[in-house]
Amino acid sequence: MKIVVLGSGVIGVATAYFLALDGHEVIVLDRQNGPALETSFANAGEVSPGYSAPWAAPGIPLKALKWLFMRHRPLVIWPKLDPAMWLWGLRMLRNCTAARYAHNKGLMLPIAHYSRDVLAALRNETGIDYDARMQGTLQLFRLAKQMDGIAADTQVLAEAGIPYEVLDIEGCLKVEPGLRHVREKFVGGLRLPKDETGDCFKFTQALRTFAEAAGAQFRYNVEIESVTHDGGRISGVRTTGGVVTGDGYVVALGSYSPRLLSPLGLRVPIYPVKGYSLTLPVTADMSAPQSTVMDETHKVAITRLGDRIRVGGTAELAGYNLTLREGRRGTLTHVVSDLFPQGGDVSKAEFWCGLRPMTPDGPPIIGPTRYPNLYLNTGHGTLGWTMACGSGRVMADMISGRKPEIDISGLGIERY
């Protein structure tokens, strides 16, 4: 079949790759001049199935209020007369119950763990290079009350069969020796040894090359204007380069998916949540992070990517605004300088932001729609890199008429 994939972030490219491997004629459309130039460009670099959980969780509303008064706060809200933002926020609040959290997390964990397995197989088959490291994630606690409050988290991890380690200060220093300079600033940590790290941009660029070798075509600098339908089926995609037609269509446009789908009568509650990152050169190997360190207080991840350090964090509700705000830069600079003062050169840091496509309940939207030849692979939030390979493989299985290897019931648009 001829399949048109809309979007060439990590989700779109992974989808195109697996579809091409299945022998489909694949055309990928994107407004940028290459793959992974928007949200996939400079994310935190984590492949973290163990941390695949909804933002909507018990206690979050109270925490959010406290965060708003922190100097280096994890959450920033710019009030707007935007009904979509407030409706999304209300839906998220409704999911902040123990029952909804458990249900939504139960939908996210299988696709995240499956995706890690698919990524490992792809890596073994292709030798793809993307500054990968398999040294786990360390959630670092600055306060004793944070350390004391991890019982619920470890219970969930144990029930899901996810390996974990509760570490004291010495245990943290063993896996992240660069923290030895600031050992007085934390009390312990929770480590997930099976988590991975890697440069999502490098991965997506390389995977595009493998997809092209399998026959996929990538058309860049093409603005997607609308999707047309006829008799209950999608008939084409209007672009600045003309109408592109196919037998099937996959929407992988992240935060911009609602704008394209709304005229079709498909309401997807995805809202852009802006995240920021710094990328700086390593100055001393053993004084820099070896994998990912997640600062629990500021909700900032510090990740080693080859000879660079990626610092990612902040949740900013500001619509589709991509303004780089210096206040957010200050937070990221503070965290990396506070924990790894001798590890990297912040004076040479590159500052970036991107729009995470967040659903109010947490899980992505993967599956068919009421139009029989239109599929969605979007809404992965902060976990696009974590879930990309599994989501792409599942999408290719569905379109090719195979039963996916995992149960994805509950991930479709019908849940809304």
Side-chain angles (χ1 to χ4, degrees), residues 113-278:
H113 283 272
Y114 176 65
S115 188
R116 184 189 60 196
D117 294 342
V118 175
L119 172 59
L122 188 155
R123 190 168 55 238
N124 292 335
E125 292 164 4
T126 66
I128 191 169
D129 178 24
Y130 55 96
D131 287 335
R133 291 188 176 213
M134 290 74 187
Q135 296 175 234
T137 298
L138 175 63
Q139 185 179 10
L140 197 69
F141 302 121
R142 293 175 180 263
L143 305 173
K145 66 179 182 179
Q146 294 171 334
M147 192 79 178
D148 295 339
I150 64 172
D153 292 331
T154 55
Q155 181 180 349
V156 171
L157 292 170
E159 291 173 352
I162 301 171
Y164 67 89
E165 301 167 355
V166 178
L167 304 178
D168 59 12
I169 293 174
E170 293 302 324
C172 292
L173 295 179
K174 185 176 180 180
V175 296
E176 289 290 351
L179 292 169
R180 66 189 182 278
H181 304 291
V182 296
R183 58 181 300 147
E184 76 282 357
K185 293 187 177 181
F186 60 93
V187 299
L190 176 63
R191 181 172 181 254
L192 300 185
K194 296 294 185 180
D195 280 5
E196 305 175 8
T197 60
D199 189 325
C200 183
F201 172 73
K202 289 184 69 173
F203 173 85
T204 310
Q205 291 265 326
L207 191 61
R208 183 272 305 269
T209 301
F210 288 118
E212 288 178 326
Q217 302 176 44
F218 288 79
R219 300 182 186 176
Y220 292 109
N221 300 304
V222 174
E223 290 278 353
I224 298 167
E225 297 176 335
S226 65
V227 174
T228 60
H229 61 96
D230 180 24
R233 293 178 63 86
I234 302 303
S235 56
V237 181
R238 295 185 187 277
T239 77
T240 51
V243 176
V244 181
T245 62
D247 302 304
Y249 303 82
V250 180
V251 175
L253 291 172
S255 295
Y256 296 91
S257 299
R259 292 183 171 185
L260 188 74
L261 295 170
S262 180
L264 298 174
L266 299 174
R267 307 293 180 181
V268 290
I270 293 171
Y271 197 78
V273 178
K274 186 168 30 170
Y276 291 83
S277 76
L278 293 177

Side-chain angles (χ1 to χ4, degrees), residues 2-74:
K2 181 180 179 182
I3 309 298
V4 181
V5 178
L6 310 183
S8 70
V10 67
I11 300 295
V13 172
T15 301
Y17 172 75
F18 287 110
L19 283 168
L21 283 188
D22 283 348
H24 297 286
E25 179 185 353
V26 181
I27 298 174
V28 182
L29 306 177
D30 198 284
R31 63 184 176 185
Q32 299 294 340
N33 60 14
L37 291 177
E38 296 197 25
T39 304
S40 300
F41 181 70
N43 61 26
E46 300 172 82
V47 179
S48 300
Y51 284 107
S52 295
W55 282 17
I60 284 296
L62 181 58
K63 287 182 180 180
L65 288 175
K66 293 179 179 178
W67 288 336
L68 292 176
F69 296 97
M70 289 174 59
R71 178 185 176 190
H72 296 294
R73 52 191 183 273

Side-chain angles (χ1 to χ4, degrees), residues 89-113:
L90 289 172
R91 283 180 163 177
M92 181 179 176
L93 288 174
R94 285 202 295 267
N95 278 279
C96 291
T97 66
R100 293 302 303 168
Y101 177 80
H103 173 78
N104 293 327
K105 187 179 178 71
L107 294 176
M108 298 170 74
L109 284 174
I111 186 66
H113 283 272

